[in-house]
């Protein structure tokens, strides 16, 4: 995804928050522990995740594990919430220095590399949180893999779901 698209996504998300109707709707896809986990996300991240889920539904994707993964794919970020300027730094660095940003993301979660670590490591953290909250194995795998390169071949059902999740995430 390009810098312009990521920047647009960021600025749209700054003031976004989920409606009560949206929150009521998603409770059908998440058990109470997973819903509590979802609510730990920042309001803008909740709104983004709901939009990803709705995009999948609009495209005819209704598998409950895929929809749960859409809602929880960024939940690892709740462990180390990022502010607006940190999000902007990630967007710019990934656009101009993608390999360096990825390298910085392998450090400890502290100091100036913290935003990069959160950006790189949140899928692992999110998968662990979702597993502890009782998510299904497919949901956990989709959360874990949502930042991987898109699968070249989508022969398995899991890879098709991952591909759809990644498309919806990039477009939301």
């Amino acid at each position: 995804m390009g810098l312009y698209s990521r920047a647009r996504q960021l600025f749209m998300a700054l003031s976004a928050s989920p409606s009560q109707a949206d929150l009521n709707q998603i409770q059908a896809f998440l058990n109470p522990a997973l819903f509590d986990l979802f609510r730990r996300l920042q309001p803008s991240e909740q709104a983004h995740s709901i939009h990803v889920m709705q995009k999948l539904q609009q495209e005819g994707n209704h598998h409950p594990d895929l929809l749960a993964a859409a809602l929880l794919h960024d939940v690892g970020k709740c462990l180390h919430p990022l502010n607006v300027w940190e999000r902007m730094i990630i967007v710019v660095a990934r656009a101009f220095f993608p390999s360096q940003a990825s390298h910085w993301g392998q450090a400890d979660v502290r100091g100036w590399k913290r935003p990069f670590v959160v950006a790189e490591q949140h899928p692992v953290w999110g998968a662990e949180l979702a597993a502890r909250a009782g998510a299904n194995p497919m949901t956990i795998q989709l959360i874990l893999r949502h930042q991987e390169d898109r699968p070249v071949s989508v022969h398995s059902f899991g890879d098709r779901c991952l591909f759809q999740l990644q498309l919806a995430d990039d477009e939301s």
Side-chain angles (χ1 to χ4, degrees):
M1 176 178 274
L3 177 61
Y4 173 77
S5 298
R6 283 289 181 200
R8 180 186 57 82
Q9 191 179 53
L10 174 66
F11 287 113
M12 286 176 48
L14 292 178
S15 63
S17 66
S19 69
Q20 188 59 50
D22 287 336
L23 294 174
N24 292 341
Q25 177 194 14
I26 68 169
Q27 286 185 302
F29 303 104
L30 302 175
N31 70 37
L34 291 173
F35 183 75
D36 289 344
L37 185 58
F38 172 83
R39 293 293 284 165
R40 290 176 56 190
L41 286 166
Q42 295 179 24
S44 62
E45 292 165 338
Q46 291 177 22
H48 163 71
S49 295
I50 290 169
H51 192 257
V52 172
M53 181 200 71
Q54 291 170 338
K55 181 101 176 125
L56 287 166
Q57 290 175 314
Q58 291 166 1
E59 294 172 357
N61 296 296
H62 300 287
H63 193 281
D65 290 341
L66 174 58
L67 298 179
L71 294 168
L72 297 169
H73 70 280
D74 283 337
V75 78
K77 293 177 181 179
C78 74
L79 295 177
H80 303 280
L82 299 173
N83 60 40
V84 174
W85 72 266
E86 290 172 316
R87 292 181 191 191
M88 285 192 265
I89 288 171
I90 294 165
V91 168
V92 172
R94 282 184 165 172
F96 293 106
F97 313 106
S99 62
Q100 189 62 45
S102 181
H103 175 72
W104 292 332
Q106 306 311 311
D108 291 328
V109 184
R110 60 176 188 218
W112 68 270
K113 293 181 183 177
R114 179 182 172 278
F116 301 101
V117 175
V118 174
E120 288 293 317
Q121 302 300 322
H122 79 271
V124 172
W125 302 335
E128 291 170 356
L129 291 169
R132 281 188 247 144
N136 291 335
M138 182 174 165
T139 299
I140 296 164
Q141 280 301 305
L142 290 170
I143 293 168
L144 180 64
R145 297 180 60 205
H146 82 272
Q147 284 197 160
E148 290 179 4
D149 290 338
R150 284 203 188 111
V152 175
S153 63
V154 289
H155 299 294
S156 74
F157 181 69
D159 282 347
R160 283 194 299 274
C161 288
L162 177 62
F163 183 81
Q164 292 301 318
L165 175 61
Q166 290 170 329
L167 282 178
D169 187 23
D170 285 348
E171 294 173 2
S172 298

